[in-house]
Amino acid sequence: MIIHLKKEIGNAKAQGIAKANNAFLIEEANQYVLISSSGQKEIDPQFADAVTESFVFDSDIQLASRDYRSKTRKVTIGNVTIGGNTGNTLLIAGPCSVESETQIQESSALLKELNLTTLRGGCYKPRTSPYSFQGLGLEGLKLLKQMKEEHGLNVITEVRDATHVADVIEYSDVIQIGAKAMYDQGILRACAKTQKPVLIKRGFGTTLQEFVQCAEFVLSGGNPNVILCERGLRTFETKTRFTLDLCGVAYLKEYTNCPVVLDPSHAMGHAYGVPDLTRACVAMGIDGLLIEVHPNPKVAKSDASQQLNHQEFRDLVATLNPVAAAVNHKII
Ligand code: PEP
Ligand code: MN
């Protein structure tokens, strides 16, 4: 249940009511917001004077629900805003991993050339094998910060586990919680304490209910800036790396209020399919894309087979505006 309380009652009273209802308490500019389990359907009449509005739900998708906020949630990344009625589709691009200064400078130059604002690059990689490249760690975060300072780019990078979440929060403009890390409640709770945007990737075996409840951990802890990212599910199919769940995207758009970003690169797993898949994603009227691009994919230290080279990316970008325009969106 979500309960709005008058601001005039003051913090101590709001906390008392939150405690009595076993609820989270968020302080907004003109009200307090209490969030308790969806099992709660009514408020004790003794608190009625303090309440301005209340909302009941049939599941613990509450703050992220369209039933709570019919106008979708807007999230601002640097000087760009996605979600709500902005019609923006933010094209986020860059390598799977930050590998060297030369590499990330080349990626930054490509983004600048194409008037793009948001650079991706992992520094803590959740690899399937301990013997694979694990990322540059803090050194990589410092390179991303350098790209931000030298080129004015916003940077998004992933947190793999709770040991370095503070560093990722400090150095990034958007915190990416990876598909394998989205169940880590230490990460979710740490990301709830910042106001920086958090992009949560759906685990490859995660139901939509579980996925959106991960968002609820961040939202209920007081960070309203949550973005949901579909990146493919594991199915019986082996020819493609994963299966991109566009039906799930339709669900997220219909029932949640968070911006929805798609990652065709990890879903496909092979560069050849990424351009077509990207256009299919754009045609769904989504809020953003996450595309892996590398100056020389053949020598990439992670996800080599799925990264586009720079010319392939330029060619792809040149085709996107008409598709976006057909669904009243624009690529930014
Ligand atoms: C990535 O974005 O490089 C990544 C590791 O993605 P995912 O968490 O979706 O596998
Ligand atoms: Mn990757």
Side-chain angles (χ1 to χ4, degrees), residues 96-97 120 125 158 241 266 292 302-303 306:
C96 178
S97 301
R120 63 148 288 146
K125 299 304 298 180
E158 72 193 275
R241 189 178 184 192
H266 287 85
E292 286 195 341
S302 59
D303 286 349
Q306 71 197 29

Side-chain angles (χ1 to χ4, degrees), residues 254-272:
E254 183 74 12
Y255 289 104
T256 80
N257 56 41
C258 296
V260 179
V261 165
L262 273 94
D263 172 353
S265 300
H266 287 85
M268 189 69 211
H270 304 280
Y272 77 85

Side-chain angles (χ1 to χ4, degrees), residues 95-97 120-122 124-127 158 176-181 199 201-204 229-232 241-242 263 266-267 290 292 302-303 306:
C96 178
S97 301
R120 63 148 288 146
Y124 299 89
K125 299 304 298 180
R127 304 308 297 281
E158 72 193 275
Q176 175 177 325
I177 302 180
K180 292 174 186 158
L199 179 142
K201 293 186 107 180
R202 181 181 179 190
F204 46 70
C229 178
E230 160 62 28
R231 45 75 76 211
R241 189 178 184 192
F242 295 99
D263 172 353
H266 287 85
L290 201 59
E292 286 195 341
S302 59
D303 286 349
Q306 71 197 29

Side-chain angles (χ1 to χ4, degrees), residues 7-194:
K7 201 67 190 252
E8 304 88 85
I9 63 168
N11 195 271
K13 183 147 189 217
Q15 282 194 32
I17 301 176
K19 200 165 177 219
N21 286 279
N22 212 3
F24 286 86
L25 174 68
I26 298 174
E27 184 169 350
E28 291 184 348
N30 50 7
Q31 65 189 0
Y32 292 100
V33 179
L34 264 57
I35 316 102
S36 64
S37 148
S38 57
Q40 184 177 357
K41 304 293 181 195
E42 52 194 37
I43 318 151
D44 190 324
Q46 65 168 310
F47 303 124
D49 283 355
V51 176
T52 54
E53 225 179 335
S54 60
F55 307 80
V56 292
F57 300 89
D58 56 14
S59 86
D60 280 353
I61 297 177
Q62 302 187 104
L63 289 167
S65 166
R66 281 278 177 119
D67 290 340
Y68 177 51
R69 281 196 188 189
S70 54
K71 288 244 175 282
T72 51
R73 193 175 283 283
K74 285 186 192 166
V75 174
T76 297
I77 299 163
N79 48 8
V80 297
T81 300
I82 58 171
N85 52 9
T86 60
N88 287 333
T89 299
L90 177 65
L91 182 47
I92 304 167
C96 178
S97 301
V98 178
E99 298 172 5
S100 67
E101 180 174 349
T102 315
Q103 174 234 26
I104 205 70
Q105 286 284 12
E106 288 182 58
S107 302
S108 301
L110 179 70
L111 264 69
K112 294 306 284 182
E113 174 196 322
L114 297 170
N115 283 322
L116 300 176
T117 57
T118 315
L119 173 69
R120 63 148 288 146
C123 302
Y124 299 89
K125 299 304 298 180
R127 304 308 297 281
T128 307
S129 166
Y131 311 115
S132 305
F133 176 62
Q134 304 290 305
L136 295 181
L138 188 58
E139 187 192 336
L141 291 181
K142 289 183 177 162
L143 286 172
L144 288 177
K145 186 174 174 209
Q146 189 186 330
M147 297 308 104
K148 185 175 168 60
E149 286 167 0
E150 289 181 11
H151 306 287
L153 293 165
N154 300 314
V155 298
I156 168 166
T157 193
E158 72 193 275
V159 50
R160 182 182 59 210
D161 61 66
T163 60
H164 53 262
V165 63
D167 285 341
V168 172
I169 290 172
E170 183 187 335
Y171 281 86
S172 61
D173 297 298
V174 182
I175 303 138
Q176 175 177 325
I177 302 180
K180 292 174 186 158
M182 59 146 264
Y183 287 109
D184 185 323
Q185 303 202 348
I187 294 176
L188 294 170
R189 288 174 203 273
C191 289
K193 293 202 184 96
T194 170

Side-chain angles (χ1 to χ4, degrees), residues 209-244:
Q209 179 77 30
E210 289 166 339
F211 180 35
V212 185
Q213 278 176 186
C214 285
E216 291 283 333
F217 271 92
V218 178
L219 296 168
S220 62
N223 184 350
N225 300 308
V226 175
I227 302 164
L228 301 171
C229 178
E230 160 62 28
R231 45 75 76 211
L233 302 178
R234 177 152 291 159
T235 65
F236 54 81
E237 187 51 73
T238 56
K239 299 288 188 210
T240 59
R241 189 178 184 192
F242 295 99
T243 298
L244 193 63

